[in-house]
Amino acid sequence: MSTSSTQSRGVNRRINSLQSSGRHSREGSPRPRKRIISPNDAYTYALRVAYLSYLLQPRSRRTQHVPAPRTQLQRSSSSINDLMKDFTLLRDSKSTRFPHGFTTELEKRLTGVLMGKEKRPEYNDATIKRTFAAFFNAFTEQGFKKRMEKDRRVEDLVLIFFSNATKELQKGKPPGDDTWKFMVDRHLALFVRLISLVLKDHDWVRDRPELTNRLATLENKLLVHDQDLADASQRNGGAGGSTIEVIMPLSFEVKDMPLVQVVARVFSLTHAQVQSDINKNKSVWTEKAALQDLKIYQSYLNLNTRRTLRSDDFDLEAGYEAWKKAEGPDLSQMMLAIVQSNPELAKSTPGGSLPHFNSSTTGSETSDSGYSDMSRKLSDQSEGSSYVIDQPVDMSGLAISDDIPDSGDNPYTFIPTEPRAYYRFILSQALTQDIKDQNPQPCEASDIKLLTKQSTELLNEICLRWRIPKVSRVVLFLDVIREKYLDDEIGLDGLDAAFNFIKEPLSESKKNSPHVSSIMFDRTLWPVADFALNQQILTSLHDALLRDVYDALQHCYDQKPPSLGPVVYILESHIYDDPSFSTTPEELDLFSKQVEDGLRQQAQGIYRGYLEKELPEDHSVWEFFHVIQLGKAVLKLAERVQKRYRKTPEIMGVNPFVILVETILPMYAEDARDIVARILELARSRGEDVDIQDGFDLYKELVEIRRIHAQALPKVPFAFHIEDLLADFVWRWIRMTDENVPKWVDQAIKQDHFKVRTQIADHVPSEDERHSVSVIDIFRSFNEIISQIAHLNWDDDLQYAKFMTALGRSVGSGLARYCEVIEQKFSKEMDRLTPEQEATANQTRQEKWMQLAKDAWNNKEKIEPFQFFPESFVKLNNIEFATYQLDKLEHEVNVDACAEVIQKNTPPVTQRERKVTNYVFSIKIVEAEDLKACDINGLSDPYVVLGDEYQKRLAKTRIIYGNLNPRWEETVDITTQGPLNIIATVWDWDTLGDHDCVGRTSIKLDPSHFGDFLPREYWLDLDTQGRLLLRVSMEGERDDIQFYFGKAFRTLKRTERDMTRIITDKLSAYISHCLSRRALRSMLSKGITMSSVSSYFNRNRPQPVPQGPTQVDITNALKPLFAYFDDNFAIMNQTLTSTAMIMVMSRLWKEVLVTIEALLVPPLSDKPSQQRPLTQQELDIVFKWLQLLFDFFHAVDEDTGEANGVPLDVLKSPKYHDIQSLNFFYFDSTENLIRTSERMASATAARQQAQRNRLSAPASLSSPSFGGAAGLLGMTSTRRSKSIMLSRNLGTMKKAKEEKRKEAQAEPNDDMILRILRMRPEAQKYLRDRSRQKERLAAAAAAEMIVRQSLLAGGGRMLGSTPRR
């Protein structure tokens, strides 16, 4: 075991009997036992020490002048008036006046003379200063200063000085003594010289040379024989002489005793009372008595009596030896100081008993008590204070035991019987008195804080005379501070200052003392009583401070709680860091537990107060508002407490914020649950609904409280599931929103004029200005309803996903309504009659037939450009804008994540029963063949109308003009809950009269036939002639957010496509007119001539080879079409957005390709065609037209090379490549074409079989079907249709489109060869056989698909149910 630990254990053993066992609060803390000291006794001994300090202080010395033998001197002038004649004669001269600002500078110079700052020696004489002071008082009088600043005359200043100097120097002089008159002249001369110096220092001499000369003359007149005023021989009125220093005798008056005055102040006595006590006892309180006290103390020290410290008073012998070693030199130095103060004492004291002063003693033998320089201190005079010996920190003292000596009276005159008790009493009295002072000025270098400099000097002197050690002083000081703190006489600042005092580093003069260092930092060298008292002080303060901490923490939840920082700082910095203080963790834990219990009670009381304030007593009037207000009060309190203790969350092991939330948040959660349930129950009993917004507000408040609850109590679950309790409010809001969405849409359309939103008239609108306000309004509404739920921060993913699904359905229905109304308005605008058609309609029936006959005779087809409305293009822009806005909304909602959450939390298909009640049939009206001709030109203008069995119109296609084999490629969605009969009627559009019926057919849409959810194609024979091709697919309508968004996207895209197709249909008639066989014949024949007619009758003669048209002719043939396109594109470009413009141009390009394809080959069918093939020359012209049109639609800028038209990937579509492939097969022989078709068919079959072997589902065939049995049965389509789920956003739509294009390019087929063979009569049998082969392959693939899906679904369970994605 180490020595230090052994010593510490020994100290603890010794003090066990001195410490009390209990620890209480500040108010109940026990105080150490004190000796009862009477104030009068304490005052008497303090007065003795203060009076002794006065006796021993360095005596004041003064300078006394010894005059030289008097010599008679003559004055320089008879009177002052004669001396001032030079100035009075020039009274009004400006040159003899002082400059502006002179009086201020003179006042500063005079102040320097009086304060002794003047550097010239002649102004340092005391008499000179007295004279100048008398003048200064008169000079600074406000009336005289104002007069001087106004007149600035020299004579006024000189005369006033002369007058005051005469009065001052004449004082105390006997009658007949004229020596003072010479002193007046000389002092006046010094004053004149000072005026000249001020003028010279500020460079005013150059401006006033006359004034300077007259001042110099006056100074010379005042001096006798050019006397030097700085010479000492000219002082004392020119009498000369010398000076000597004499010691001033003691006055024995209290006014000359600084420490005695301090004693009077400390004990609240008058100077007269103190003076009376001194006068009574000054014969006893002498230097000799003080010397005798020291001798007696030295004798007791050598005899080791109880009147001094003994070895038993220290725990270690080393401590006693160190103290005793330092006492001897200290006593010797103090005796020497007394003898030097009163040398007469040396005569009555034996020489051997007095110490000898050795100022050169160095090394380890040097006394560290601070008295080695005593002679110097005795010779120095402290300015403004009495003599104070610098007491060392290792100074020993008398016996510090509280026990009274056993025998004998007090042998001392100046030392009381119990120095510690008396010193403590005086210290407490001085501290109390200083605290009462308004602004005490603590000594900057004082060893004791909180005391004035005068009190500090008195206490230092007492400790010096009573031999009280530094350690005892520190401990007693802390004991008094403890007492004052417990009595609330000082606060925490004073307590902190006291502790900082005892921790201050030692001064440089004492750091080298080994005893000083050891006694202060090694507490084993302390006297046992001091060590024990120090522990008692720390324990008492600790208990008191803990009580303060407890009291402060009990108010920590108040609006303005008391500050805990100072208390905790003192505990941590001064109590717990002190090595003498000891406590156990159990005690601190017990305190923390008590604080926590108190804080919980406080928190409960605060919450009960909130509950009484915010919640009415009558349960029937409870509202969500009350719960919200209660929650806000709780949150406000929690946030305030959290912010208050953010930097220091724990105080003495207690976290007020955690205790608060642990207490009030569970209470609030339980109360909120019960109150809300009660409110809802009352509302249901009354048949009322609680306001939805109140439910939302309550949810936000409860969620915030739950967030704080989770942060503070992560392992404690919240009292109830908020979302389950308040979900009904969201569903009510969603149902209300779903009802309002169609109204919002109709209102937005009603208020929209469908104009571009240009801010400046005749200004080209930007891309963002080309859509109207209705689409902006409806998407603003959609975003608001989505944000309303999103801003709730609903903390249940499954419920949130279901909310978004329901809102997705509302958004989809709103967009469907918008598309329906917009398309109706658009169709109405596009179906209006042209002016020529209106004129024709006003003709009589006979006029109409005559005009038609005339046009037919002239072979005239009237092709007139259509006049588009800008409003129509704005509607198309709106649909395009809506598509991009919906895609943006889809990403913001995170549709895929919502669907994934629902799928994860939904049982598998085998664990649930799911019935699909709604089915969505997508019917694509593809084309018709061999229709009946209803017009006199042998053609028809067909369009298709779909209706149900109750004659309700469901859809209508566009009109295809002048075509018996039309191709519409239009899709319509029909929703049904069961089987539905669809009647398809083909009509011929007529300008005159009613429209003619071309033919009818029907189809039954039965969901049970589409259990595999694969598309099917139906060739339906019309009741007259010809047939109609329909492609039908079905999807089960599902409560799925992806389904709703996909359906909305498909609705927008179909509306956009249909509106674009209507626009292009207005231009397609002219395209068909320009790209027709008639146009080819016209170019080749260049008109009918008589020679061509005669050649018809001479067919048997050899004909010359016709010369084909040139490239210029071919280009010129398309110029009308290009001009037509340019005119219409210019109109469109003013309103359509760039994206819509490209979309229209792309659709026109498709029309061009379809027209050229129809020009080259007939449609695909198993029947021979009457269409004749083109000649090689005609084929070349057609392909040149195709290239010219390709370049026109690509629109490459010749300067920049940048394409401004349709992109290349759109131009080079699969149909474009199919048309290009015709060049290789068009003129090939029938046999070669059949062999090529068979080879391609075999390759396609092998590829499909390999794909079926790799995949679980059969691959889709790439060729459309023919008629026959497969058409009647509804043969499965060879290509997967565009499902709603593949259209749920722009990304999936783009991806599906790209895959379709790649599939078409990767799987070449023989369709074009079969279409060429239709124009070869000899290939009729092969066409029929090939059609049957395709039917068999398609039927086998469909059967295999059904079997596979049935096996995967578990024996046909997929039938009639919606598959899970």
Side-chain angles (χ1 to χ4, degrees):
M1 185 178 293
S2 64
T3 305
S4 60
S5 62
T6 304
Q7 294 172 348
S8 176
R9 186 179 62 181
V11 172
N12 293 330
R13 281 200 309 269
R14 293 289 300 277
I15 67 175
N16 282 339
S17 61
L18 301 176
Q19 290 180 327
S20 60
S21 59
R23 294 188 179 182
H24 305 282
S25 64
R26 178 173 177 179
E27 289 76 5
S29 180
R31 303 185 182 182
R33 181 172 55 90
K34 300 185 297 183
R35 306 293 294 181
I36 300 176
I37 306 296
S38 68
N40 187 60
D41 291 344
Y43 155 70
T44 301
Y45 277 100
L47 183 61
R48 294 178 188 186
V49 173
Y51 176 69
L52 179 61
S53 174
Y54 171 71
L55 294 179
L56 299 180
Q57 71 179 354
R59 304 295 172 83
S60 301
R61 297 173 182 268
R62 70 177 182 182
T63 302
Q64 183 173 334
H65 182 76
V66 179
R70 180 176 297 181
T71 58
Q72 189 69 26
L73 296 176
Q74 299 293 328
R75 294 191 63 190
S76 58
S77 298
S78 59
S79 68
I80 189 62
N81 294 327
D82 295 337
L83 295 174
M84 297 303 299
K85 285 182 179 180
D86 293 339
F87 293 95
T88 55
L89 293 176
L90 300 172
R91 187 177 184 90
D92 297 329
S93 177
K94 183 177 180 180
S95 61
T96 59
R97 292 187 180 185
F98 292 125
H100 290 285
F102 172 78
T103 55
T104 302
E105 299 301 327
L106 179 61
E107 182 179 354
K108 294 179 182 178
R109 196 66 174 261
L110 288 171
T111 303
V113 171
L114 297 178
M115 296 180 66
K117 297 181 180 180
E118 180 61 45
K119 298 180 180 179
R120 300 181 71 88
E122 59 266 29
Y123 294 98
N124 293 330
D125 187 76
T127 308
I128 297 294
K129 292 182 180 180
R130 184 158 55 90
T131 306
F132 274 60
F135 165 74
F136 187 78
N137 291 333
F139 176 72
T140 55
E141 196 271 326
Q142 292 298 325
F144 180 75
K145 283 186 67 175
K146 290 183 180 180
R147 189 167 62 251
M148 278 302 302
E149 290 174 356
K150 178 180 178 182
D151 298 336
R152 296 178 285 117
R153 293 185 299 190
V154 179
E155 56 270 27
D156 294 343
L157 201 60
V158 173
L159 290 175
I160 195 67
F161 182 88
F162 179 81
S163 174
N164 284 278
T166 301
K167 294 177 182 179
E168 188 65 28
L169 294 175
Q170 193 177 1
K171 292 179 181 179
K173 297 296 182 181
D177 187 359
D178 295 335
T179 56
W180 60 272
K181 297 181 179 179
F182 295 98
M183 293 177 66
V184 172
D185 292 344
R186 283 152 182 77
H187 287 192
L188 183 58
L190 280 175
F191 178 68
V192 173
R193 180 177 293 182
L194 189 66
I195 293 174
S196 300
L197 291 174
V198 172
L199 293 172
K200 182 179 180 182
D201 291 345
H202 292 81
D203 203 20
W204 285 325
V205 176
R206 293 184 302 177
D207 297 337
R208 286 171 172 73
E210 185 175 355
L211 176 60
T212 305
N213 293 334
R214 293 181 184 275
L215 288 174
T217 302
L218 178 60
E219 181 183 349
N220 293 332
K221 289 181 180 181
L222 291 170
L223 297 176
V224 179
H225 305 300
D226 294 330
Q227 299 164 1
D228 185 3
L229 295 178
D231 189 1
S233 62
Q234 298 301 322
R235 298 173 185 170
N236 195 25
S242 60
T243 58
I244 61 174
E245 287 188 351
V246 295
I247 298 176
M248 298 184 64
L250 296 175
S251 65
F252 295 99
E253 295 180 0
V254 174
K255 65 181 182 66
D256 296 328
M257 304 176 186
L259 291 187
V260 172
Q261 296 175 17
V262 175
V263 173
R265 182 180 61 83
V266 169
F267 289 92
S268 302
L269 298 175
T270 63
H271 288 187
Q273 292 174 317
V274 176
Q275 185 70 58
S276 174
D277 292 336
I278 290 175
N279 293 338
K280 291 178 183 179
N281 297 286
K282 66 180 179 180
S283 60
V284 180
W285 300 345
T286 61
E287 296 96 326
K288 184 177 180 180
L291 184 61
Q292 185 64 27
D293 284 354
L294 293 178
K295 290 179 181 181
I296 295 173
Y297 178 81
Q298 192 175 38
S299 298
Y300 286 146
L301 179 63
N302 294 331
L303 294 175
N304 196 21
T305 65
R306 293 181 62 84
R307 292 185 179 275
T308 63
L309 289 177
R310 298 183 302 169
S311 60
D312 292 343
D313 295 323
F314 291 87
D315 186 63
L316 298 178
E317 189 66 26
Y320 172 71
E321 292 298 332
W323 166 77
K324 187 175 181 181
K325 181 180 179 181
E327 274 299 275
D330 290 344
L331 292 173
S332 299
Q333 294 295 335
M334 293 177 66
M335 291 179 186
L336 178 61
I338 295 174
V339 172
Q340 288 179 343
S341 174
N342 189 357
E344 294 295 330
L345 295 176
K347 298 177 181 180
S348 61
T349 303
S353 64
L354 291 176
H356 298 282
F357 176 70
N358 184 8
S359 61
S360 62
T361 303
T362 60
S364 61
E365 300 299 327
T366 303
S367 173
D368 294 315
S369 63
Y371 297 102
S372 59
D373 56 349
M374 185 61 65
S375 60
R376 177 183 58 81
K377 288 184 176 293
L378 292 175
S379 62
D380 292 341
Q381 182 177 4
S382 297
E383 183 179 353
S385 64
S386 62
Y387 162 67
V388 179
I389 296 178
D390 186 13
Q391 179 194 357
V393 294
D394 61 339
M395 195 60 143
S396 302
L398 298 177
I400 62 175
S401 174
D402 288 334
D403 297 333
I404 302 176
D406 296 335
S407 61
D409 297 332
N410 185 10
Y412 301 111
T413 301
F414 292 95
I415 304 175
T417 55
E418 299 176 64
R420 283 170 55 90
Y422 276 85
Y423 173 73
R424 188 187 183 283
F425 184 89
I426 298 171
L427 173 61
S428 176
Q429 192 73 14
L431 187 59
T432 301
Q433 191 64 36
D434 288 343
I435 291 174
K436 289 180 180 179
D437 294 342
Q438 295 296 325
N439 295 309
Q441 300 295 329
C443 177
E444 295 180 359
S446 172
D447 289 335
I448 301 178
K449 302 293 184 182
L450 302 173
L451 297 170
T452 61
K453 181 178 180 181
Q454 294 77 15
S455 299
T456 303
E457 291 176 352
L458 175 63
L459 294 172
N460 282 340
E461 191 69 20
I462 291 174
C463 291
L464 172 66
R465 297 301 166 189
W466 295 354
R467 310 305 301 140
I468 297 178
K470 176 69 174 181
V471 173
S472 300
R473 292 177 58 194
V474 170
V475 174
L476 291 174
F477 171 72
L478 283 181
D479 190 33
V480 172
I481 290 296
R482 176 195 60 80
E483 181 183 46
K484 299 297 182 185
Y485 178 70
L486 294 180
D487 293 338
D488 290 327
E489 293 185 28
I490 64 172
L492 293 172
D493 293 338
L495 188 60
D496 180 55
F499 277 106
N500 287 332
F501 147 67
I502 64 175
K503 294 181 179 181
E504 285 181 352
L506 301 175
S507 61
E508 292 295 332
S509 63
K510 300 177 184 178
K511 283 185 179 179
N512 296 327
S513 172
H515 181 61
V516 170
S517 301
S518 62
I519 197 66
M520 290 305 296
F521 298 103
D522 188 358
R523 300 194 178 191
T524 60
L525 301 179
W526 284 19
V528 175
D530 285 337
F531 192 88
L533 180 58
N534 185 53
Q535 283 194 332
Q536 292 176 4
I537 293 169
L538 294 176
T539 301
S540 177
L541 286 175
H542 178 255
D543 293 342
L545 291 171
L546 285 185
R547 171 54 58 185
D548 290 345
V549 171
Y550 182 87
D551 293 340
L553 282 175
Q554 297 309 301
H555 296 85
C556 69
Y557 300 144
D558 295 349
Q559 189 72 26
K560 293 183 179 180
S563 177
L564 280 166
V567 184
V568 176
Y569 172 78
I570 292 176
L571 279 170
E572 294 178 351
S573 301
H574 301 318
I575 304 297
Y576 296 143
D577 288 349
D578 196 295
S580 299
F581 177 77
S582 63
T583 187
T584 61
E586 291 77 11
E587 292 177 348
L588 294 179
D589 292 341
L590 179 60
F591 171 75
S592 299
K593 181 65 170 55
Q594 293 173 349
V595 173
E596 289 179 2
D597 293 342
L599 287 179
R600 293 186 191 279
Q601 294 178 3
Q602 293 293 327
Q604 292 174 2
I606 292 174
Y607 177 74
R608 285 193 294 270
Y610 287 161
L611 201 61
E612 295 175 359
K613 177 182 178 181
E614 302 296 345
L615 203 63
E617 296 182 0
D618 187 1
H619 296 185
S620 62
V621 298
W622 283 357
E623 296 179 359
F624 284 179
F625 172 77
H626 300 130
V627 184
I628 294 172
Q629 291 301 112
L630 180 61
K632 287 183 178 179
V634 170
L635 279 182
K636 186 177 180 181
L637 174 62
E639 290 173 355
R640 185 173 69 240
V641 174
Q642 184 182 29
K643 182 179 180 181
R644 181 178 297 160
Y645 299 105
R646 181 173 298 160
K647 295 183 179 179
T648 54
E650 284 197 4
I651 301 171
M652 303 294 294
V654 177
N655 192 320
F657 173 72
V658 173
I659 294 173
L660 177 70
V661 296
E662 285 179 347
T663 305
I664 66 173
L665 290 190
M667 295 174 64
Y668 172 78
E670 295 176 1
D671 290 344
R673 177 194 58 199
D674 297 339
I675 295 170
V676 171
R678 176 65 175 168
I679 294 173
L680 294 177
E681 182 181 354
L682 287 174
R684 283 193 295 269
S685 64
R686 297 169 182 171
E688 301 174 352
D689 287 331
V690 180
D691 187 70
I692 294 176
Q693 189 59 44
D694 289 347
F696 288 172
D697 295 339
L698 176 62
Y699 177 78
K700 293 177 182 178
E701 196 67 32
L702 292 176
V703 166
E704 181 63 19
I705 292 178
R706 184 175 61 186
R707 181 187 65 80
I708 297 178
H709 184 281
Q711 289 179 353
L713 309 173
K715 297 181 180 179
V716 179
F718 200 66
F720 66 100
H721 195 256
I722 305 173
E723 286 71 20
D724 289 344
L725 186 63
L726 300 178
D728 185 62
F729 288 92
V730 182
W731 287 118
R732 284 172 50 200
W733 182 84
I734 290 175
R735 289 192 294 269
M736 182 183 67
T737 301
D738 191 61
E739 295 173 0
N740 291 331
V741 164
K743 300 177 183 177
W744 296 344
V745 172
D746 292 341
Q747 188 67 21
I749 296 174
K750 183 178 180 181
Q751 296 178 356
D752 193 1
H753 299 290
F754 298 99
K755 302 287 185 180
V756 292
R757 297 172 294 108
T758 52
Q759 301 295 332
I760 304 175
D762 300 330
H763 181 71
V764 178
S766 63
E767 290 289 313
D768 293 335
E769 297 174 340
R770 298 194 176 209
H771 50 268
S772 61
V773 295
S774 60
V775 69
I776 298 176
D777 292 341
I778 64 170
F779 271 95
R780 184 184 294 116
S781 301
F782 293 158
N783 284 310
E784 287 176 356
I785 63 176
I786 296 295
S787 299
Q788 178 72 19
I789 302 301
H791 289 164
L792 288 176
N793 296 319
W794 201 261
D795 198 16
D796 188 304
D797 293 342
L798 180 60
Q799 290 183 359
Y800 178 79
K802 290 181 177 180
F803 295 158
M804 289 298 146
T805 301
L807 291 180
R809 180 176 60 247
S810 300
V811 170
S813 63
L815 287 176
R817 174 62 180 170
Y818 186 77
C819 291
E820 178 185 0
V821 177
I822 292 297
E823 190 170 11
Q824 289 175 359
K825 290 179 173 292
F826 182 83
S827 300
K828 185 176 180 181
E829 293 169 355
M830 300 300 290
D831 291 343
R832 72 185 188 278
L833 297 177
T834 63
E836 291 78 6
Q837 291 172 338
E838 291 180 357
T840 303
N842 294 327
Q843 292 177 349
T844 62
R845 187 175 184 86
Q846 183 178 3
E847 290 174 343
K848 293 178 182 178
W849 282 108
M850 290 296 294
Q851 185 66 37
L852 287 175
K854 183 178 180 181
D855 292 340
W857 176 259
N858 294 328
N859 197 21
K860 177 182 178 182
E861 295 183 10
K862 300 180 65 176
I863 306 298
E864 301 169 352
F866 188 80
Q867 299 297 323
F868 295 101
F869 287 163
E871 292 83 354
S872 303
F873 293 146
V874 170
K875 292 180 178 66
L876 180 58
N877 292 340
N878 286 356
I879 299 298
E880 181 229 341
F881 179 78
T883 304
Y884 285 101
Q885 287 298 310
L886 182 63
D887 186 69
K888 182 179 177 181
L889 186 64
E890 190 265 350
H891 285 86
E892 291 176 355
V893 173
N894 202 351
V895 167
D896 294 338
C898 293
E900 183 179 357
V901 169
I902 295 177
Q903 184 176 4
K904 287 181 178 179
N905 291 275
T906 303
V909 177
T910 56
Q911 301 179 10
R912 59 190 169 91
E913 294 183 2
R914 180 173 182 178
K915 296 181 180 179
V916 178
T917 57
N918 291 333
Y919 301 90
V920 179
F921 283 93
S922 295
I923 302 176
K924 185 172 185 178
I925 305 170
V926 184
E927 61 179 334
E929 278 187 0
D930 195 21
L931 297 180
K932 181 181 68 174
C934 296
D935 295 338
I936 60 175
N937 56 2
L939 300 174
S940 295
D941 303 324
Y943 65 92
V944 180
V945 174
L946 297 181
D948 60 9
E949 52 195 80
Y950 303 105
Q951 298 182 354
K952 177 183 177 181
R953 176 180 288 193
L954 301 176
K956 172 182 174 295
T957 68
R958 72 188 191 282
I959 302 170
I960 305 296
Y961 295 97
N963 201 325
L964 298 179
N965 299 291
R967 193 174 185 87
W968 291 279
E969 296 278 356
E970 294 188 23
T971 306
V972 61
D973 286 342
I974 298 176
T975 302
T976 180
Q977 296 181 349
L980 178 66
N981 291 320
I982 298 297
I983 299 173
T985 304
V986 182
W987 294 90
D988 171 57
W989 182 87
D990 286 331
T991 305
L992 306 175
D994 296 333
H995 299 182
D996 300 323
C997 179
V998 178
R1000 287 186 177 87
T1001 187
S1002 64
I1003 183 173
K1004 183 178 182 179
L1005 302 180
D1006 192 345
S1008 62
H1009 297 165
F1010 292 83
D1012 54 1
F1013 297 97
L1014 293 177
R1016 287 170 170 76
E1017 291 185 349
Y1018 296 90
W1019 277 106
L1020 304 176
D1021 293 330
L1022 300 178
D1023 57 356
T1024 53
Q1025 74 174 55
R1027 57 182 180 172
L1028 178 68
L1029 177 60
L1030 300 181
R1031 185 174 294 134
V1032 183
S1033 62
M1034 185 196 77
E1035 287 187 79
E1037 190 172 41
R1038 52 206 296 190
D1039 189 19
D1040 187 291
I1041 188 171
Q1042 291 179 327
F1043 179 86
Y1044 292 133
F1045 271 87
K1047 189 175 181 180
F1049 271 111
R1050 191 161 73 170
T1051 301
L1052 286 170
K1053 277 298 181 182
R1054 284 183 177 175
T1055 303
E1056 184 181 63
R1057 183 171 59 250
D1058 292 343
M1059 293 172 68
T1060 304
R1061 183 172 290 159
I1062 292 174
I1063 293 175
T1064 55
D1065 284 348
K1066 298 301 179 182
L1067 309 179
S1068 60
Y1070 197 65
I1071 295 174
S1072 301
H1073 172 74
C1074 295
L1075 304 177
S1076 62
R1077 287 177 178 261
R1078 184 188 58 78
L1080 281 174
R1081 290 194 301 269
S1082 176
M1083 180 180 297
L1084 291 173
S1085 64
K1086 296 182 181 179
I1088 300 177
T1089 61
M1090 292 301 297
S1091 60
S1092 63
V1093 175
S1094 61
S1095 64
Y1096 175 79
F1097 296 100
N1098 298 323
R1099 277 182 285 183
N1100 295 327
R1101 298 181 182 180
Q1103 300 293 326
V1105 179
Q1107 186 170 357
T1110 64
Q1111 182 65 34
V1112 176
D1113 296 335
I1114 296 173
T1115 304
N1116 290 336
L1118 293 184
K1119 278 187 176 182
L1121 180 61
F1122 290 156
Y1124 185 72
F1125 282 158
D1126 288 337
D1127 293 341
N1128 285 280
F1129 288 166
I1131 297 173
M1132 296 177 188
N1133 198 37
Q1134 294 177 0
T1135 308
L1136 286 177
T1137 63
S1138 57
T1139 304
M1141 189 68 194
I1142 295 297
M1143 185 169 52
V1144 172
M1145 293 177 66
S1146 300
R1147 181 62 197 173
L1148 277 176
W1149 171 248
K1150 291 181 182 180
E1151 291 292 336
V1152 168
L1153 293 179
V1154 169
T1155 303
I1156 291 179
E1157 183 185 46
L1159 190 63
L1160 295 173
V1161 291
L1164 187 63
S1165 178
D1166 59 345
K1167 298 179 181 180
S1169 174
Q1170 300 300 321
Q1171 182 175 336
R1172 69 170 184 85
L1174 299 179
T1175 64
Q1176 182 65 52
Q1177 194 176 31
E1178 291 173 336
L1179 186 67
D1180 292 341
I1181 293 173
V1182 170
F1183 277 100
K1184 288 180 181 179
W1185 281 352
L1186 180 63
Q1187 185 60 44
L1188 290 173
L1189 289 166
F1190 183 93
D1191 295 339
F1192 175 82
F1193 278 92
H1194 194 35
V1196 176
D1197 194 319
E1198 296 180 356
D1199 297 331
T1200 62
E1202 181 181 359
N1204 299 317
V1206 181
L1208 276 178
D1209 59 336
V1210 177
L1211 291 173
K1212 294 184 177 181
S1213 62
K1215 186 175 291 294
Y1216 174 79
H1217 289 291
D1218 289 342
I1219 294 174
Q1220 291 287 353
S1221 67
L1222 287 175
N1223 252 332
F1224 301 99
F1225 305 111
Y1226 202 79
F1227 295 106
D1228 204 354
S1229 65
T1230 302
E1231 292 78 7
N1232 289 339
L1233 290 177
I1234 292 175
R1235 285 195 295 270
T1236 303
S1237 174
E1238 291 176 343
R1239 187 170 58 253
M1240 295 178 71
S1242 300
T1244 301
R1247 186 167 55 251
Q1248 292 176 350
Q1249 183 62 40
Q1251 186 176 5
R1252 284 196 298 270
N1253 293 336
R1254 287 196 308 269
L1255 304 176
S1256 59
S1260 298
L1261 298 177
S1262 59
S1263 301
S1265 66
F1266 295 94
L1272 296 176
L1273 294 175
M1275 185 186 66
T1276 305
S1277 174
T1278 58
R1279 180 173 294 150
R1280 186 77 165 92
S1281 66
K1282 296 179 182 177
S1283 69
I1284 292 178
M1285 299 304 292
L1286 292 177
S1287 305
R1288 61 181 180 270
N1289 56 46
L1290 291 181
T1292 57
M1293 296 171 71
K1294 183 177 181 181
K1295 182 178 179 181
K1297 189 175 182 180
E1298 183 66 21
E1299 289 178 355
K1300 178 181 176 181
R1301 185 180 66 83
K1302 290 181 179 179
E1303 180 184 356
Q1305 292 179 353
E1307 296 184 3
N1309 53 66
D1310 59 345
D1311 288 353
M1312 281 299 177
I1313 294 178
L1314 295 176
R1315 295 173 72 174
I1316 295 174
L1317 291 175
R1318 284 195 65 194
M1319 296 184 294
R1320 309 283 178 91
E1322 62 272 18
Q1324 179 177 1
K1325 182 177 180 301
Y1326 176 75
L1327 289 174
R1328 185 171 58 254
D1329 295 340
R1330 182 76 176 94
S1331 174
R1332 293 174 181 174
Q1333 180 187 5
K1334 280 192 166 190
E1335 292 172 3
R1336 289 193 301 271
L1337 291 174
E1344 185 177 1
M1345 177 72 71
I1346 294 173
V1347 172
R1348 288 180 182 274
Q1349 288 190 348
S1350 299
L1351 292 176
L1352 291 174
R1357 251 191 302 270
M1358 284 294 295
L1359 189 63
S1361 62
T1362 303
R1364 295 284 297 171
R1365 286 187 58 82

